[in-house]
Amino acid sequence: MAYYQKKLDDRLPCFIYFYLMPTIYLKTQIHSTIQICFDLSRSIDLHQISTAASKEKAIAGRTTGLIYLGETVTWEATHFGIRQQLTSKITAFNRPHHFRDEQIKGAFKSFVHDHSFSTVGDAVVMEDVFTFQSPFGIIGKIVNKLFLTGYMTKLLKERNRVIKDYAETGKWNSVIGAENFRI
């Protein structure tokens, strides 16, 4: 818990994240380089591939390639039968170890998604900490418990599965391209 508490301290008091706001923690082990994993995680193109089920598409801001510090992307997708738009911004960036995206407009009251990367032996450990708050007060909290946390976990796991597949099979080159890749 201390690891995540340290990461969250610069946003809000830790107890808010653990007791009032749902937080999803995922760890994915990938046999690739840390640079490839980091760049795949911030690839707009790979994100669209991983969210094909909801027909997610980048429609404004950075719409292709790799997103950088200070840039925004507006996504349009269908979730729960409703066409929605969400804009997020990269608010922290330390290649190839960490970046953060935060919602600045959209269906959530707020969300913060930390992406962290470390090497352990010959593998990369990719960690996601996704903290969100639904609108509508107590009704939003009930929705979180009933299905939204599970739904978001499933989306993030699928995204991570696609990142792992592309990083480990060499398909990464078709998304981030050797000309864009720097170690």
Side-chain angles (χ1 to χ4, degrees):
M1 181 161 156
Y3 173 79
Y4 293 110
Q5 183 173 351
K6 182 178 178 190
K7 286 180 147 188
L8 298 172
D9 281 345
D10 65 333
R11 294 187 280 180
L12 287 174
C14 193
F15 75 89
I16 290 174
Y17 284 88
F18 288 103
Y19 298 109
L20 300 179
M21 298 171 72
T23 301
I24 300 166
Y25 304 98
L26 297 175
K27 276 189 180 184
T28 307
Q29 185 171 318
I30 304 172
H31 294 281
S32 187
T33 68
I34 193 170
Q35 294 87 357
I36 287 172
C37 295
F38 184 88
D39 285 349
L40 285 172
S41 288
R42 64 191 182 100
S43 167
I44 302 297
D45 306 304
L46 188 75
H47 184 87
Q48 292 178 124
I49 292 167
S50 73
T51 57
S54 61
K55 299 180 178 120
E56 199 154 325
K57 182 175 171 65
I59 60 167
R62 168 68 73 170
T63 58
T64 62
L66 303 177
I67 195 163
Y68 291 87
L69 180 65
E71 291 186 321
T72 63
V73 58
T74 299
W75 299 101
E76 186 173 78
T78 302
H79 297 284
F80 308 112
I82 302 167
R83 198 93 185 127
Q84 305 174 37
Q85 290 185 2
L86 180 144
T87 302
S88 64
K89 181 176 184 175
I90 302 300
T91 59
F93 190 89
N94 178 21
R95 186 178 187 271
H97 301 288
H98 172 260
F99 72 95
R100 175 183 298 152
D101 61 288
E102 299 184 46
Q103 176 192 278
I104 56 175
K105 183 179 179 186
F108 292 98
K109 185 172 181 182
S110 67
F111 84 64
V112 177
H113 187 178
D114 280 298
H115 309 255
S116 300
F117 305 83
S118 58
T119 53
V120 178
D122 65 344
V124 174
V125 176
M126 180 174 70
E127 295 181 70
D128 291 277
V129 180
F130 184 83
T131 304
F132 65 97
Q133 187 174 16
S134 298
F136 311 120
I138 190 71
I139 293 170
K141 290 182 189 326
I142 293 168
V143 167
N144 292 343
K145 294 277 189 212
L146 290 178
F147 61 87
L148 189 56
T149 301
Y151 182 80
M152 293 306 300
T153 301
K154 182 179 173 187
L155 285 176
L156 291 170
K157 283 183 175 179
E158 175 59 13
R159 179 181 173 278
N160 289 356
R161 185 196 65 75
V162 172
I163 290 169
K164 179 178 174 73
D165 176 51
Y166 273 66
E168 291 182 345
T169 63
K171 291 193 270 184
W172 64 268
N173 196 30
S174 68
V175 177
I176 58 178
E179 69 278 358
N180 294 324
F181 181 70
R182 303 181 317 273
I183 293 181

